[in-house]
Amino acid sequence: MTTQIYEGLLTYDWDLKPAPLLAKSWEISPDGKTITFRLQEGVTFHNGQPFTSADVQYSFMEIAKKVNPNGPVILAELTSIDTPDPLTAVFNLANPAPYLMVSLSANYIPIVCKSVFEGTQPMQNPSANRPIGTGPFKFAEWSRGQFIRLDRNDRYWKPGLPMLNRIIARFIPDASTRSAALEAGEAHYAAYSAVNAADIRRLQANPILDSTTRGYGMTAALTTLEFNTRRPNLAKKEVRQAIAYAIDRQFLVDNVLYGFAKPATGPLSSVFATQGFYTDQVRRFDVPDRIEIANRLMDEAGFPRGADGKRMSLYLEINSFGEQWLRQGEYIKQALAQIGIDLTLRSEDTATWLRRCYTDYDFDINEPFYSAGADPVVGVHRHYVSSAIRRGTTFVNNKDYRNPELDRIMDAATRENDHAKRAELYHQAQQILVEDSPGAWLCEVQYVTIFNRKLHDHTGPLGAYQALDRAWLER
C-alpha cells in the first residue's frame, strides 16, 4: 500500500532498466562515484509542501541509511548528498556501487517529506502510520484488522492520473475467505501469497477472474528457514546441515506450492543464472541418502537419540503471511522427526511474529521468505553479512551469523565493476553460505497474481509494488 502513497527517485521498465519517476534524468560520472539526479518540477507532497532536493537528501541520509532495512547494505557507499539547487541532488559515493541504480524504487527507498520528520524519532512519528507522500493516492483511513482506504490525489503531478477514485485494501486472515471474495467479485486484485497455491488452478478457471505471473521480475523469491545461532544446539553447523538434509524440497514444491516453485540450492535464485551470478556447485542436500547423512551429522554433533527416539526439541515460528506457511511447517515437523528433532509449531499475529524474530531474538527456527531484487546486494546481502545484524529491524540478519570471509567477499562484490570477477565472488559466497548453513533454502517461488477481468492496467514491471496510477475498473 505504501507504494501507492510514496514514490522513489526511479521506477523500472520491463527489462528492469531504470526509468524516470521523481528524478526525471540522471548522470553518472566516469568513475562511478558521483550520480547527479535532476528532479521533477511541480511535485507536491499530500500536505501541500513542495518536493525538493532537501527531501531527497533527508530521505536517504537520515531515514534510509539509519532505519530502513535495506539502508546499511544498499547505501553503504553513499557518503553524502549535495543539493546545489531545489531540483538537483548529487550523490557522492566512496566507491562505485553498480547495484544502486536498480535499488531506487519506492518499495526500497521511498522519498519522505523532510518537514514532517525532521527533529523527531522517525519510528515514533505519527505520520509513520498516517503516511504523507507524493504518490497518486493519499492515505485516508486505517481500520486496524479490517481495511486501509486510500483516496485519489487530485493534485498528482502526472496529468490526468490516477484513474481510480480510491483503493480499499482488505485484511482477510482466512485464505479460503480471500479466495471466496475474489470469486464473488468483492475483491479485484490479489498478489504474492494472498491466494493459496492450492486455490490458484480453481480460480484460474473462474470466468470473472484472470491471472498473470508478470510483474515479478525483480522478485527472485526464495522460501527459507532461519536458524538462530545464539541457541547452543543451532550454533553447531552439523545440526543446521542435518535439518537442511532432512527436508524434501520437491515435496514442498508438489504439495505445498502446487507446482508454482522449484527446489532451491542456496541463497541465490537460479534467476541470476542469466547474469552469471548463480551456481549450483555447492553442497547438495537433495541426495538419495540425505536422511542417513542427517542422522549421522546429528550423532557427530553430540546429540544421540534418547529412549524416546528424540535428540532435541525446537520451536518453528510460522510465517503469518498465508496458510501455506502453516502447511509447510506441518511438513517440516514431520521431516525433522525422522532425525530425532521434536518440532513445536508456533503461530502468532504478524506484529508478534516480527517482534519475536527480529527484536527479541526469541526463536529457534523461523520460516520467512525473501526477494532478492534485481541484484544480490539489494535483497540477499542483508540476510547474511554481519553489518546487517540490527535488532528491531525486520528481514535482516537475525541469525547472528558472522563470517569475516563471507563479509569480505560480499563487500568486494558490491564494488566490483568487472562482471566476470563479480560473478566469481558470488559463486564463492554461495559455496560458503551453503556449507555454513545459517539457513536452509527451500524453494524458488513463482508468484501468481489473481485479478478480476474488469480491472485493467494494474500490472507493471514492479508488480504489486507498482503504483496503480493507470489502473481502471469497468463499471
Side-chain angles (χ1 to χ4, degrees):
M1 294 300 288
T2 57
T3 55
Q4 310 303 322
I5 300 169
Y6 291 118
E7 294 180 297
L9 284 178
L10 301 178
T11 186
Y12 298 90
D13 63 21
W14 285 105
D15 294 323
L16 306 185
K17 294 179 180 178
L21 196 58
L22 288 178
K24 65 179 182 181
S25 65
W26 53 90
E27 299 170 4
I28 303 175
S29 63
D31 64 2
K33 294 183 179 182
T34 303
I35 308 173
T36 301
F37 292 99
R38 308 294 179 185
L39 308 180
Q40 301 282 0
E41 300 97 344
V43 178
T44 59
F45 286 94
H46 299 155
N47 61 358
Q49 292 291 314
F51 160 68
T52 72
S53 56
D55 300 300
V56 175
Q57 182 188 59
Y58 182 82
S59 297
F60 277 81
M61 301 306 297
E62 300 300 324
I63 300 292
K65 279 182 75 74
K66 295 181 179 179
V67 299
N68 188 314
N70 301 294
V73 174
I74 292 178
L75 303 179
E77 302 297 342
L78 180 64
T79 58
S80 64
I81 296 177
D82 297 330
T83 56
D85 62 63
L87 295 178
T88 304
V90 182
F91 284 42
N92 302 305
L93 310 178
N95 296 284
Y99 53 87
L100 184 59
M101 291 299 289
V102 296
S103 311
L104 299 180
S105 56
N107 57 306
Y108 288 122
I109 303 179
I111 302 302
V112 304
C113 184
K114 176 181 178 179
S115 64
V116 169
F117 282 92
E118 191 172 31
T120 73
Q121 291 293 325
M123 300 294 280
Q124 283 74 51
N125 189 295
S127 72
N129 286 328
R130 299 184 62 84
I132 297 168
T134 60
F137 296 93
K138 301 183 296 184
F139 175 83
E141 183 182 1
W142 180 6
S143 178
R144 290 177 182 263
Q146 299 298 316
F147 66 87
I148 292 175
R149 191 186 98 226
L150 308 181
D151 289 345
R152 185 179 190 272
N153 177 10
D154 293 330
R155 296 188 297 176
Y156 188 46
W157 59 275
K158 292 184 182 180
L161 299 178
M163 308 288 283
L164 297 172
N165 289 325
R166 68 181 53 87
I167 297 173
I168 297 176
R170 295 173 56 190
F171 295 88
I172 306 176
D174 180 68
S176 61
T177 305
R178 292 196 293 272
S179 295
L182 287 161
E183 291 175 298
E186 297 171 2
H188 301 93
Y189 180 85
Y192 284 93
S193 55
V195 170
N196 276 351
D199 293 338
I200 290 175
R201 302 294 186 197
R202 186 184 83 251
L203 296 182
Q204 286 175 327
N206 189 307
I208 75 167
L209 301 176
D210 205 341
S211 66
T212 182
T213 57
R214 298 190 79 199
Y216 297 107
M218 271 193 165
T219 301
L222 294 177
T223 60
T224 70
L225 297 182
E226 294 177 328
F227 302 132
N228 187 352
T229 63
R230 302 170 187 85
R231 301 288 202 243
N233 293 358
L234 294 168
K236 296 195 173 185
K237 179 174 69 174
E238 295 83 1
V239 173
R240 304 194 300 267
Q241 289 179 344
I243 293 172
Y245 276 113
I247 298 169
D248 184 344
R249 290 153 179 76
Q250 191 62 49
F251 181 93
L252 291 173
V253 169
D254 296 338
N255 298 283
V256 174
L257 296 171
Y258 293 86
F260 294 101
K262 60 186 288 189
T265 61
L268 258 67
S269 166
S270 61
V271 167
F272 287 107
T274 57
Q275 299 179 44
F277 293 160
Y278 169 81
T279 181
D280 61 1
Q281 299 303 301
V282 296
R283 178 187 284 263
R284 297 298 295 257
F285 298 107
D286 56 350
V287 293
D289 56 343
R290 57 188 181 79
I291 300 300
E292 178 184 335
I293 295 172
N295 276 304
R296 184 172 68 249
L297 284 167
M298 293 295 287
D299 289 335
E300 292 172 358
F303 296 102
R305 290 182 184 270
D308 58 359
K310 298 177 183 177
R311 303 176 188 270
M312 65 175 66
S313 296
L314 297 171
Y315 278 89
L316 174 66
E317 309 303 327
I318 300 298
N319 188 319
S320 68
F321 291 168
E323 286 291 317
Q324 64 266 41
W325 304 107
L326 178 58
R327 303 286 85 78
Q328 175 176 278
E330 290 169 344
Y331 163 71
I332 292 173
K333 178 180 176 67
Q334 297 174 17
L336 299 197
Q338 299 176 90
I339 62 172
I341 296 178
D342 180 28
L343 197 65
T344 298
L345 309 185
R346 182 158 51 195
S347 296
E348 297 170 316
D349 64 89
T350 299
T352 304
W353 169 56
L354 294 177
R355 184 171 60 252
R356 180 185 293 279
C357 294
Y358 297 98
T359 298
D360 299 338
Y361 297 145
D362 181 22
F363 74 100
D364 296 325
I365 306 174
N366 186 31
E367 60 159 8
F369 62 96
Y370 67 76
S371 298
D375 189 280
V377 173
V378 178
V380 179
H381 285 226
R382 60 191 164 99
H383 293 278
Y384 306 108
V385 297
S386 61
S387 62
I389 300 172
R390 304 175 69 207
R391 183 186 289 271
T393 300
T394 56
F395 305 117
V396 293
N397 183 355
N398 62 338
K399 299 168 283 294
D400 202 43
Y401 173 65
R402 303 168 191 265
N403 184 319
E405 178 64 8
L406 189 278
D407 286 348
R408 184 193 65 76
I409 290 171
M410 293 289 232
D411 188 53
T414 66
R415 299 188 176 99
E416 182 55 66
N417 277 327
D418 184 298
H419 192 83
K421 292 180 180 178
R422 193 168 186 238
E424 177 55 32
L425 289 168
Y426 279 121
H427 292 180
Q428 295 174 30
Q430 289 166 82
Q431 290 160 356
I432 290 171
L433 281 166
V434 174
E435 184 63 26
D436 282 354
S437 291
W441 301 278
L442 305 179
C443 301
E444 299 181 9
V445 179
Q446 173 59 70
Y447 290 117
V448 180
T449 299
I450 304 293
F451 59 93
N452 191 294
R453 290 179 181 272
K454 291 184 177 181
L455 182 65
H456 301 272
D457 295 339
H458 54 80
T459 299
L462 300 181
Y465 295 132
Q466 193 90 20
L468 295 170
D469 55 348
R470 297 183 181 277
W472 58 280
L473 190 66
E474 290 182 32
R475 293 188 183 277

